[in-house]
Amino acid sequence: MEERRENGPMMTDGLIPSPTNPMVNPLLTDLYQYTMAYAYWKAGKHNERAVFDLFFRRSPFGGEYTVFAGLEECIRFIANFKFTAEDIDFLRGALPGGCEEGFLDYLRQVDCSEVEVYAIPEGSVVFPKVPLIRVEGPVAVAQLLETTLVNLVNYASLVATNAARHRRVAGNSKTLLEFGLRRAQGPDGGISASRYCYMGGFDATSNVAAGRLFGIPLKGTHSHAFVSSFMVRKDFYCCPTVIMHHMIWCHARTASLTSPDMQSPDEIVEKLLRSADASTTCEDFVSLVQSWLRKIQRTRLSIGGFGETNLSELAAFTSYALAFPDNFLALVDTYDVLRSGIPNFCAVALALRDLGYTAIGIRLDSGDLAYLSGEARKFFQAIEKDFGVPGFGKTSITASNDLNEETLDHLNKQGHEIDAFGIGTYLVTCYSQPALGCVFKLVEINNQPRMKLSEDVSKVSIPCKKQCYRLYGKEGYALVDLMIGENEAAPKVGERILCRHPFNESKRAYVVPQRVEELLKCFWRGSTDKSREELLPLTDVRARCMMQLEQMRPDHMRRLNPTPYKVSVSAKLYDFIHFLWLNEAPNLQDLKFWTSDGNQQKRTTSSDSQRSFLIEL
């Protein structure tokens, strides 16, 4: 993986860098791509010009939208597609029954110079059946690209969509942190999840490698292990005699392993802390923390039921604050949130404030998050009132603990005081749906449209090279995605156009768009002189995603029972789909098609009408 110094692809002399993961190479594909390529080559068909559409059939998670992600990695793969000598040597023995040397000579010179790629910009909101990527080029080369492109888009779009759904439930005012690395499916799953969750609306990640590669903001504090690693007796801080006995006992236990002058592991050796403006120095920050804890214990806050807090926890918080006075955020549920964690945090936070620092807040990782966050907020507000500390009542509360879209929704309904959510397992594993189900279908070869038929109408493909547009209404929301034939006139603002369901004869609507957006752009021009879209930095792609989500009608975006979004074809393309369907079906006189009520009816056609459709398109 190459180093990335800014939040986006690095271009050097116009060259596109290699894929982020070095495992993405021409061998990262299914064997049948090579067996097909060999058969194409044997038949002399390998250079025939083909058009493939990459699309999905159904939006994930029971929703009505998907966030398109993975395009940059696809273009990197295509731009650097080339077989090495080692690849050729391996393939020589990998094909069943072997292959002719001439085919291997062909592979040696294969690249994507004759390939063109058109795609919807990454970060866009997309819908079923609409091509996300259109690949045009020699049929054998396009087939060799298929599996890798599908792989690069499938998970990326799935997890970006999952992130966007979490963002929508949490609301724009909340901070979302991706904490999924340890639960992700392997290193590449962890890296990809961090990247595409950020694209889908998360604010930061705990994944340091992703921060380095993609410029994603990093967030993290400490674990329960850090807190429980401190072992302080209740009277440790207050009795010098006990301190001495405790140190002697520790030395006796470790005499064979430690030198005589080693300090107790519980002792905070470095107690000095300079003020935020460096104008003063606190010689004993530990004592300052203790004094604040005693003040808190003497106030009316004791009605919450806490008396003596866990001093091991206090020592851990104090130690962490000494290390990170500008970034003090404490995990407060190691022992008892309300009786120990929050009072100990407040003591350290107030001591930091005396020196000009502002504590970040707390993290809750267990328990009743709605209740505990509410009680923590009350505690902070009481501190602000009783000690005259402006703004302390708004101290940030972060929650984690196996959160998902559903628990966020429940927390909203219960009412809570959480400012940030750390989400991991359910986010990065896409627990409720493991795959998006992208497919890569041939739609044209040698300028002849092709179509896949199926008894399952959802698996019938839409033939021919298409133009795709998004039509917007008066309120600025997207109304419909429209696919038309390559040579049809583009829809125009203010002009009425008939939009038809691709397969349902009765579903149709006239639309007068107030804005028309062309969806497919050229991202790889091969050896042509066409203009090419630039790959944007990740922050720009994220911004596009956020903007696109705002342009969707709320009823299409809701979590439960969303209104279906309309994906349509033009009247001419509709007629051609059904002409080709009839033409390709085994029995023209007994073909079935689907009506609005889901029933099947017979349809026939004449050879004259078939010829007229073909001439029009």
Side-chain angles (χ1 to χ4, degrees):
M1 298 184 184
E2 95 282 358
E3 181 177 357
R4 302 183 67 162
R5 301 184 184 280
E6 50 183 74
N7 202 333
M10 296 189 301
M11 302 295 180
T12 305
D13 299 328
L15 299 178
I16 296 176
S18 59
T20 303
N21 188 338
M23 293 179 66
V24 177
N25 60 65
L27 296 188
L28 186 68
T29 190
D30 296 306
L31 179 62
Y32 82 161
Q33 307 294 7
Y34 285 103
T35 58
M36 284 191 291
Y38 183 52
Y40 284 136
W41 180 82
K42 287 278 286 183
K45 288 175 58 70
H46 56 290
N47 284 324
E48 292 184 4
R49 194 77 179 173
V51 179
F52 288 83
D53 284 348
L54 189 156
F55 61 94
F56 61 95
R57 297 186 175 111
R58 183 176 299 170
S59 289
F61 311 116
E64 275 297 317
Y65 69 94
T66 302
V67 174
F68 175 38
L71 176 62
E72 181 187 324
E73 291 300 321
C74 290
I75 299 303
R76 286 172 171 236
F77 169 63
I78 289 168
N80 294 276
F81 189 89
K82 193 70 180 173
F83 290 92
T84 66
E86 292 79 9
D87 295 338
I88 299 297
D89 288 342
F90 174 79
L91 289 170
R92 180 179 284 108
L95 291 178
C99 64
E100 297 178 30
E101 194 65 27
F103 176 64
L104 300 178
D105 292 338
Y106 160 71
L107 291 182
R108 287 187 180 93
Q109 53 83 37
V110 161
D111 59 21
C112 290
S113 59
E114 297 304 314
V115 172
E116 296 174 40
V117 176
Y118 299 81
I120 298 176
E122 190 163 12
S124 298
V125 174
V126 291
F127 301 96
K129 294 289 186 182
V130 179
L132 308 180
I133 299 175
R134 186 176 77 217
V135 177
E136 304 175 22
V139 63
V141 178
Q143 295 267 209
L144 292 175
L145 298 175
E146 174 184 352
T147 300
T148 313
L149 297 183
V150 171
N151 177 273
L152 291 171
V153 170
N154 246 324
Y155 176 70
S157 299
L158 185 71
V159 76
T161 305
N162 203 17
R165 292 176 64 87
H166 280 76
R167 166 54 71 193
R168 183 162 184 84
V169 175
N172 293 332
S173 65
K174 304 301 181 184
T175 299
L176 293 183
L177 311 172
E178 180 269 309
F179 284 174
L181 176 59
R182 64 182 57 197
R183 304 288 172 77
Q185 281 92 341
D188 185 62
I191 292 290
S192 297
S194 298
R195 179 183 192 176
Y196 297 117
C197 285
Y198 182 70
M199 180 187 298
F202 273 58
D203 297 292
T205 180
S206 64
N207 187 339
V208 178
R212 176 176 180 263
L213 284 168
F214 310 120
I216 303 171
L218 293 172
K219 294 291 183 182
T221 174
H222 61 79
S223 70
H224 296 107
F226 180 82
V227 176
S228 59
S229 71
F230 287 78
M231 300 173 290
V232 181
R233 290 172 54 172
K234 290 184 178 181
D235 49 3
F236 182 82
Y237 277 94
C238 55
C239 179
T241 303
V242 171
I243 292 175
M244 183 59 67
H245 283 300
H246 182 74
M247 292 177 65
I248 293 172
W249 178 81
C250 289
H251 277 297
R253 288 289 303 270
T254 59
S256 62
L257 301 175
T258 60
S259 61
D261 58 348
M262 179 173 285
Q263 296 291 324
S264 163
D266 303 316
E267 179 78 354
I268 299 177
V269 177
E270 182 56 65
K271 302 179 181 180
L272 181 147
L273 181 62
R274 301 194 70 177
S275 62
D277 60 7
S279 62
T280 61
T281 299
C282 175
E283 298 293 340
D284 190 349
F285 183 69
V286 172
S287 295
L288 182 59
V289 170
Q290 293 169 5
S291 67
W292 270 111
L293 181 60
R294 288 192 292 269
K295 291 178 185 177
I296 294 171
Q297 289 170 329
R298 288 196 297 265
T299 65
R300 289 179 292 114
L301 295 177
S302 59
I303 61 174
F306 84 92
E308 291 188 4
T309 63
N310 187 297
L311 296 182
S312 297
E313 181 182 61
L314 182 64
F317 290 176
T318 303
S319 179
Y320 195 82
L322 284 165
F324 298 101
D326 284 314
N327 193 39
F328 177 58
L329 189 149
L331 178 61
V332 296
D333 68 336
T334 303
Y335 300 113
D336 187 298
V337 173
L338 300 179
R339 296 174 184 269
S340 182
I342 291 176
N344 280 339
F345 163 80
C346 290
V348 177
L350 291 169
L352 286 172
R353 185 179 179 277
D354 284 347
L355 299 175
Y357 299 101
T358 301
I360 301 297
I362 64 168
R363 178 163 72 96
L364 301 169
D365 192 49
S366 60
D368 185 336
L369 298 179
Y371 170 74
L372 291 174
S373 66
E375 293 302 303
R377 182 68 65 208
K378 293 176 184 176
F379 205 107
F380 297 153
Q381 290 169 345
I383 288 283
E384 177 175 352
K385 179 181 178 182
D386 288 357
F387 296 106
V389 186
F392 200 89
K394 297 180 179 179
T395 297
S396 177
I397 300 172
T398 300
S400 47
N401 186 29
D402 281 340
L403 301 178
N404 57 35
E405 188 181 347
E406 185 176 2
T407 55
L408 293 182
D409 187 46
H410 288 166
L411 284 168
N412 289 340
K413 291 174 180 176
Q414 293 172 41
H416 65 84
E417 290 293 332
I418 300 166
D419 302 293
F421 296 96
I423 307 175
T425 305
Y426 289 92
L427 175 68
V428 304
T429 63
C430 298
Y431 188 85
S432 60
Q433 181 169 330
L436 177 58
C438 288
V439 294
F440 191 82
K441 295 301 180 183
L442 178 69
V443 297
E444 185 174 293
I445 189 164
N446 293 333
N447 296 314
Q448 298 297 310
R450 308 309 299 146
M451 183 178 188
K452 180 196 179 300
L453 301 183
S454 174
E455 287 291 325
D456 182 353
V457 71
S458 68
K459 292 191 174 183
V460 176
S461 63
I462 298 177
C464 77
K465 187 191 299 186
K466 298 172 283 293
Q467 302 178 72
C468 303
Y469 297 89
R470 183 161 296 166
L471 310 184
Y472 292 83
K474 292 180 180 179
E475 297 179 348
Y477 294 129
L479 298 176
V480 62
D481 280 12
L482 177 68
M483 291 176 276
I484 67 175
E486 178 189 18
N487 297 319
E488 289 190 63
K492 296 180 181 179
V493 171
E495 291 189 5
R496 192 174 75 155
I497 184 170
L498 177 60
C499 300
R500 302 200 62 172
H501 188 284
F503 308 115
N504 194 318
E505 190 171 36
S506 66
K507 289 188 176 181
R508 63 184 79 188
Y510 281 99
V511 175
V512 181
Q514 302 304 304
R515 181 163 74 89
V516 176
E517 177 186 5
E518 185 176 8
L519 295 179
L520 293 173
K521 312 284 187 181
C522 180
F523 279 89
W524 179 254
R525 63 192 176 201
S527 58
T528 71
D529 59 357
K530 296 178 181 179
S531 61
R532 177 176 64 83
E533 298 290 316
E534 294 297 326
L535 298 173
L536 298 179
L538 181 57
T539 48
D540 291 355
V541 177
R542 182 180 187 273
R544 173 193 283 131
C545 180
M546 298 300 98
M547 179 186 70
Q548 289 249 320
L549 291 168
E550 291 298 322
Q551 291 174 347
M552 301 308 302
R553 223 170 60 199
D555 58 313
H556 294 311
M557 310 298 287
R558 65 192 175 207
R559 180 171 170 266
L560 297 176
N561 301 316
T563 302
Y565 182 83
K566 294 179 177 62
V567 173
S568 302
V569 297
S570 65
K572 283 187 177 181
L573 183 54
Y574 174 87
D575 289 339
F576 183 72
I577 290 170
H578 291 264
F579 145 69
L580 190 62
W581 194 338
L582 293 169
N583 195 48
E584 295 291 337
N587 188 341
L588 294 179
Q589 302 304 315
D590 193 28
L591 183 71
K592 296 177 179 179
F593 71 98
W594 279 259
T595 60
S596 59
D597 59 3
N599 295 321
Q600 294 179 329
Q601 296 182 4
K602 294 180 180 179
R603 170 180 286 177
T604 60
T605 186
S606 69
S607 59
D608 289 341
S609 63
Q610 292 175 16
R611 282 194 295 273
S612 66
F613 283 136
L614 186 59
I615 291 171
E616 280 192 40
L617 276 94

